[in-house]
């Protein structure tokens, strides 16, 4: 039994749903092949609607009633931080949270296993790409919650390291579309680019407002926005918006992982591929390798120890590395751009 609490309703539902679909496709593939040491994997997912209080309640149920051997694929910084004390108390693997926040990385916490790169890794890549394409400075829109503040902190650190000026920052409430004041403040700073650390709803509203006011600079978002959701929300205005991603390009065929994902999604009858479902698929594949290494006598403690043996493990052209003193599995970041018709290019 693997437990997941994630948003399956509300404005962030697409993030939870996509991850869950990709994970289920992989787990189904494993179950059809006989499971792991003869055991079938069951993913029990509960909707928290991106509400930290509900996340904590869901987590208590998953641990106490369902006896989950691992917590998996929690979505968001505020929500994961609400669940983390429960995971620590139970000494259960807290695996592949969908957040790049430093609080899930430092100080080191033995139960937390990050498969995705951090927001600092993403921020460094974003600023490098902006510099290469001629931008001299950036402004930042950030969500007024743990996610937005973690992202802003990462961007500020990366900017200081690179000597890349942040000319303006402005906060927005979660999922708000009241962006007129924020757009005006950012535009007044005349930035070469605007970095978005917010939900796709707010990010899309800001892009529309600033473009309507004549802004011609670049927009770039961290991965947590949900690229497909942002593209869908923007429609024709999405073309040219950049999004940093922390998993391989879902529509590519250059690696074993990409081919395996595409074939599995096709076989499962899932018509739409996405970065979110690729992340879920990759996370599930990584967790299954840990379950295999645990052996037949499966306990939470044994799974924790087994995961720590996965140093430089090859998921099929994508390497994940866990050791006893480092659970930051990957620093992979790749810049993508939304093209015409909402299609992504990289």
């Amino acid at each position: 039994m693997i437990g997941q609490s994630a948003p399956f309703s509300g404005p962030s539902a697409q993030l939870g749903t996509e991850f869950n679909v990709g994970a289920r496709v992989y787990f189904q593939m494993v179950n059809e092949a006989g499971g792991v040491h003869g055991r079938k994997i069951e993913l029990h997912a509960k909707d928290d609607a991106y509400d930290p209080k509900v996340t904590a309640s869901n987590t208590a149920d998953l641990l106490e009633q369902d006896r989950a051997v691992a917590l998996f694929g929690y979505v968001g910084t505020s929500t994961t931080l609400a669940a983390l004390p429960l995971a620590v108390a139970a000494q259960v693997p807290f695996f592949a949270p969908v957040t790049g926040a430093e609080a899930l990385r430092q100080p080191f916490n033995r139960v937390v296993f990050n498969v995705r790169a951090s927001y600092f890794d993403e921020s460094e890549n974003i600023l490098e790409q902006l510099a290469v394409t001629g931008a001299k400075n950036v402004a930042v829109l950030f969500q007024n919650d743990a996610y937005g503040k973690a992202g802003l902190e990462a961007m500020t650190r990366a900017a200081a390291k690179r000597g890349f000026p942040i000319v303006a920052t402005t906060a927005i409430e979660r999922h708000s579309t009241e962006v007129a004041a924020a757009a005006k403040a950012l535009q007044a700073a005349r930035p070469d680019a605007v970095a978005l650390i917010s939900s796709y709803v707010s990010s899309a509203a800001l892009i529309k407002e600033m473009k309507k006011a004549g802004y011609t600079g670049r927009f770039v978002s961290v991965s947590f926005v949900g690229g497909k959701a942002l593209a869908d929300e923007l429609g024709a205005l999405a073309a040219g918006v950049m999004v940093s991603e922390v998993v391989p390009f879902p529509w590519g065929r250059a690696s074993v992982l990409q081919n395996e994902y595409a074939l599995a999604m096709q076989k499962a009858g899932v018509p739409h591929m996405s970065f979110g479902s690729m992340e879920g698929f990759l996370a599930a594949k990584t967790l299954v390798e840990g379950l295999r290494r645990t052996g037949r006598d499966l306990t939470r403690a044994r799974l924790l120890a087994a995961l720590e043996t996965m140093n430089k493990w090859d998921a099929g052209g994508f390497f994940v590395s866990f050791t006893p003193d480092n659970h930051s599995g990957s620093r992979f970041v790749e810049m993508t751009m939304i093209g015409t018709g909402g299609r992504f290019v990289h």
Side-chain angles (χ1 to χ4, degrees):
M1 177 68 76
I2 309 298
Q4 181 186 25
S5 180
F8 301 115
S9 63
S12 295
Q14 197 163 337
L15 302 177
T17 300
E18 286 181 3
F19 186 101
N20 181 271
V21 165
R24 285 190 185 280
V25 165
Y26 189 82
F27 289 146
Q28 179 182 323
M29 190 168 71
V30 171
N31 287 341
E32 288 174 354
V36 182
H37 300 300
R39 286 192 183 92
K40 299 294 176 72
I41 299 166
E42 183 177 340
L43 178 60
H44 191 178
K46 288 176 168 283
D47 181 18
D48 59 29
Y50 203 65
D51 183 332
K53 290 181 181 177
V54 180
T55 308
S57 174
N58 286 350
T59 303
D61 290 345
L62 290 166
L63 291 173
E64 295 162 15
Q65 296 175 17
D66 296 340
R67 302 298 302 162
V69 73
L71 300 176
F72 171 80
Y74 278 49
V75 174
T77 303
S78 305
T79 45
T80 55
L81 292 178
L84 186 57
L86 298 171
V88 171
Q91 284 297 288
V92 62
F94 196 63
F95 197 83
V98 185
T99 169
E102 206 62 25
L104 274 296
R105 291 161 173 81
Q106 295 295 335
F108 174 77
N109 189 320
R110 190 174 181 231
V111 304
V112 180
F113 291 82
N114 294 291
V115 175
R116 58 159 42 222
S118 70
Y119 289 142
F120 180 69
D121 294 327
E122 289 195 64
S123 297
E124 280 206 299
N125 191 274
I126 284 170
L127 297 182
E128 181 181 346
Q129 293 295 319
L130 289 175
V132 165
T133 54
K136 305 289 189 210
N137 58 57
V138 67
V140 182
L141 175 80
F142 68 98
Q143 194 161 284
N144 188 24
D145 66 359
Y147 153 53
K149 290 170 184 175
L152 176 64
E153 180 186 351
M155 189 67 69
T156 303
R157 266 183 64 209
K161 180 180 175 181
R162 295 189 63 88
F164 197 93
I166 296 176
V167 293
T169 64
T170 188
I172 192 165
E173 296 308 310
R174 184 187 299 171
H175 304 315
S176 174
T177 55
E178 300 296 319
V179 297
K184 189 174 181 180
L186 294 177
Q187 198 137 352
R190 303 180 68 181
D192 292 338
V194 176
L196 305 164
I197 308 167
S198 187
S199 71
Y200 72 89
V201 174
S202 302
S203 297
L206 183 92
I207 291 169
K208 289 175 183 176
E209 184 76 16
M210 289 187 71
K211 284 194 172 186
K212 187 172 72 175
Y215 180 70
T216 57
R218 302 177 189 116
F219 293 98
V220 59
S221 175
V222 295
S223 61
F224 188 74
V225 74
K228 184 179 182 303
L230 181 63
D232 290 348
E233 190 78 9
L234 282 169
L237 290 176
V241 174
M242 297 189 295
V243 183
S244 66
E245 297 292 354
V246 294
V247 294
F249 197 65
W251 303 274
R253 296 293 180 271
S255 70
V256 171
L257 175 64
Q258 288 167 311
N259 283 302
E260 183 183 34
Y261 163 80
L263 289 171
M265 295 289 277
Q266 184 180 13
K267 185 181 177 186
V270 181
H272 301 297
M273 296 191 293
S274 67
F275 291 99
S277 59
M278 170 61 93
E279 185 170 357
F281 187 89
L282 170 63
K285 184 174 185 178
T286 309
L287 180 59
V288 165
E289 176 62 20
L291 291 168
R292 286 200 180 103
R293 293 180 183 217
T294 305
R296 294 184 180 278
D297 186 10
L298 176 62
T299 65
R300 292 169 178 173
R302 286 177 181 270
L303 178 55
L304 276 171
L307 288 166
E308 290 182 332
T309 70
M310 293 175 61
N311 190 18
K312 297 177 183 175
W313 176 69
D314 185 1
F318 185 101
F319 288 86
V320 179
S321 196
F322 298 132
T323 66
D325 56 4
N326 189 346
H327 292 180
S328 294
S330 167
R331 296 192 66 192
F332 175 91
V333 182
E334 183 175 73
M335 193 61 66
T336 66
M337 182 180 288
I338 306 172
T340 55
R343 293 174 64 89
F344 279 80
V345 294
H346 77 307

